[in-house]
Each structure stands twice: as structure tokens, then as C-alpha cells.
Amino acid sequence: MQIYLDTADVNEIKEYVELGLCDGVTTNPSILAKGGADIRTAISAIAKVVNGPVNVEPIALDYDGIIKEAEEYSNIGKNIVIKLPMIKEGLKAVATLKKRKIMTSLTLVFSPAQALLAAKAGADFVIPFVGRVDDGGAYGTEMVAQIMQIFQIYQFKAKVLAASIRTPMHVIELASAGVDIVSVPKSVLETMLKHPYTDAGIKKFLEDWNKKKT
Ligand code: G3P
């Protein structure tokens, strides 16, 4: 399972690249708006730090506008993935960008039905939103498990990139379902990494070691 960081903070990305735990990045307009820096500058900096795919979402919702922004972003680096909304204009853009050898993802996917169409349209990545499905009273990781099952039956090439991940249990349930990629905020990775028994164990070892020396 690959891990992407769901952030536009280049320092967070650098840290997790150094830990060997960042295979790619997802951004979205909300995340980029928080950063304050010029968007192109921010994306260029991220694309240099990460070896893997960097997802960037055009703001335009019309086909011509999407293609224009997609071309501008894709010039930044070979690892740029154009992240498109799961609407007709997004699907149409996938077909055009595929011909131009530009990678695409379809985002804001909230059902197996949408995921099926996104994969058939030829997107490289399909992005179901786990936490927001939970917010709506359904079971986000179960939706992703169903998507995985469908993709396996038909051997779709699209990778399932689960996003809107809020807890370590989301990650574990997605890993158990065999999801290809999870995109997580740094806060979730930090929680996954830590365990009070690890800290207690380190403390005890050091205490015992220091006793022996004195
Ligand atoms: O990239 C999409 C994801 O970050 C959304 O997460 O927690 O706002 O639903 P959330």
C-alpha cells in the first residue's frame, strides 16, 4: 500500500520523504488556499521534493478552462497528476489529457457507481472520500472495499486512492481491503506512528541502563 501526504506544506512532505513514508501528494483548492504562497511556486517546490505523483486540481469547471489549467500545471513536472471533479466535464477532460499523456485522477467520488464510471473513463487514479461518506451517515471504508472488489473483478487499471482519511482505523480498514493508496494528513500519520508502550519501553530501558552505570 502506498502512502500519499494530503498537504501542500513542503516541510511536512520533506520530513515524510526522509522517513521513507511519502510516495506521493494530494492537494486540493482548500489546502492550497491555506498556504498563501503563489500556487505554481508551491506546486513546483512540492514536485521537486517528491519522487511520486503530485495531484493538483484546476479551479475551472468548464472543459476548455480545465484543459488550459491542466496544461499549465502539467508543464511543472512529469510527476504532476491533474485532479478532476467527478462530473461530465471532468470525464471529458480525462479522455483529452490521456491522449496528451498527462496523468489524471477523478476526485470527489462518493459511491461505487461513480468509481466504476471513473475507471471506465480511463482515469489513472480514482479518489473516494472516506471521512465525508462517514459524515453523511454511511460507511466510508466499506464503500472503498466494494470499489476494490469491482476493480479486481474487471482488472481496471485505475488505482484506488482513498482520501478524506481522518483516523488510523480508516487506514487499517483500507489496508485490510487492499486499497492501492491512502492519502493522509500528517496528523493521522503521527498518531499511527506513536504508541504509549513504545515511549514507556524506551524510558524503562534508559532507566535500567543508567542504574547499571552508576
Ligand atoms: O483531498 C481531499 C481530502 O483532504 C478531504 O479531507 O477531511 O476535508 O474530508 P476532509
Side-chain angles (χ1 to χ4, degrees), residues 21 25 30 50 62-63 132 170 178 181 195:
L21 291 173
V25 168
S30 308
V50 190
D62 64 296
Y63 171 78
R132 292 193 196 181
H170 274 157
I181 310 155
H195 195 287

Side-chain angles (χ1 to χ4, degrees), residues 4-77:
Y4 288 9
L5 239 68
D6 195 25
T7 184
D9 183 327
V10 78
N11 292 322
E12 287 185 0
I13 295 165
K14 264 187 204 155
E15 184 188 359
Y16 271 84
V17 166
E18 281 167 13
L19 293 175
L21 291 173
C22 179
D23 300 303
V25 168
T26 51
T27 66
N28 63 42
S30 308
I31 287 173
L32 283 165
K34 268 190 235 156
D38 166 67
I39 303 297
R40 201 184 156 86
T41 310
I43 298 297
S44 302
I46 294 168
K48 281 190 193 116
V49 169
V50 190
N51 221 359
V54 175
N55 281 260
V56 191
E57 200 165 332
I59 294 300
L61 293 175
D62 64 296
Y63 171 78
D64 290 336
I66 290 173
I67 297 298
K68 186 171 174 288
E69 279 185 66
E71 281 180 339
E72 285 163 9
Y73 284 134
S74 64
N75 285 335
I76 292 175

Side-chain angles (χ1 to χ4, degrees), residues 3 38 86 90 92 110 116 118 121 130 148 152 155 174 179 182 185:
I3 296 177
D38 166 67
M86 182 57 204
K92 200 174 155 192
F110 289 93
L116 173 63
V130 174
M148 290 307 302
Q152 273 153 18
Q155 297 288 297
L174 291 164
V179 76
V182 288

